[in-house]
Amino acid sequence: MSSAPALPSSFPALGIQAERLIELGVHEIAGLPAAELRSFAEAAEDTADSDGALLAVHPDRAPASVLAPLLRREDKPGFVVVDMPDVDLFAPLDTVPLPDAPFYLLTGVDRGDRMADWSPNEALPALTAEARTPLLLTEGIHWVLQQPTALERNHCFMTIGSRLRKANGTLDARTPAIWISNGTGRDGRERRDAPKVGWCWAGNRHTWLGFASATGRRSQGS
């Protein structure tokens, strides 16, 4: 497999990230005024660990099904695969607590390239042992919205912090991921090279999928 392309060392300043989300209408999706998002970003920029942090909107406010079409690659919009109509039911694992706030920050975000060719079942305990937290699907989408180069052919990523729990309490075997469509099958040729939200089996390995994670999440002042 080819070596991973270099990613920028940090995200844009939080104020710039906020303006990006406002430009895309994410604040409207969340049902919040643009001023509230700007205010959060401005206050958060004054904290010690804000440099290089990713700004995210709580998934209860902005679900994956609505965020995915905002993604762009080569002028093609993102999409959710047709066999994932329940994408918004993929919720944070019990071990992935979220700040009780509409906006929050993720620190130490990493694509997890070194875990390519691992299965989700193998990657999750390894990340936990490293005191890292797996990204949610919505957080992965936020990442690509702010840093499109995070998604490259042969170097895409899974977001295994989001899982679907079945009625009997067990986890659905699907694990969500974000990658680039080849325009085959039900994707349709017109979607070739578009950003794609899909899923893989929890026990399967893929050489082109890493496991996105962070060192932590926090809301303003937490």
Side-chain angles (χ1 to χ4, degrees), residues 62-214:
S65 65
V66 184
L67 292 177
L70 302 179
L71 295 169
R72 288 290 185 280
R73 187 176 187 275
E74 299 182 4
D75 294 326
K76 294 186 178 181
F79 68 99
V80 180
V81 294
V82 296
D83 57 351
M84 204 176 182
D86 50 0
V87 63
D88 292 335
L89 298 180
F90 282 71
L93 290 168
D94 295 341
T95 55
V96 182
L98 298 187
D100 185 17
F103 313 116
Y104 61 94
L105 303 181
L106 291 118
T107 55
V109 175
D110 179 74
R111 192 167 59 187
D113 293 341
R114 64 186 176 79
M115 290 183 171
D117 208 23
W118 291 34
S119 72
N121 287 341
E122 293 165 333
L124 183 58
L127 291 173
T128 301
E130 296 172 0
R132 297 192 62 86
T133 178
L135 257 59
L136 306 182
L137 175 56
T138 52
E139 294 168 348
I141 294 173
H142 277 292
W143 183 3
V144 181
L145 287 174
Q146 300 290 352
Q147 196 179 76
T149 54
L151 208 61
E152 295 289 336
R153 285 208 174 273
N154 300 317
H155 301 288
C156 300
F157 59 88
M158 302 199 70
T159 53
I160 59 174
S162 297
R163 294 292 296 270
L164 175 64
R165 195 167 292 278
K166 297 188 288 188
N168 64 4
T170 63
L171 291 174
D172 187 283
R174 293 172 295 167
T175 52
I178 307 172
W179 70 91
I180 301 167
S181 175
N182 285 325
T184 56
R186 288 183 288 179
D187 287 2
R189 284 183 294 177
E190 70 281 2
R191 282 176 163 163
R192 179 174 173 79
D193 296 322
K196 171 178 177 177
V197 171
W199 58 269
C200 302
W201 299 120
N204 286 7
R205 299 174 178 175
H206 298 276
T207 58
W208 42 276
L209 287 174
F211 291 85
S213 65

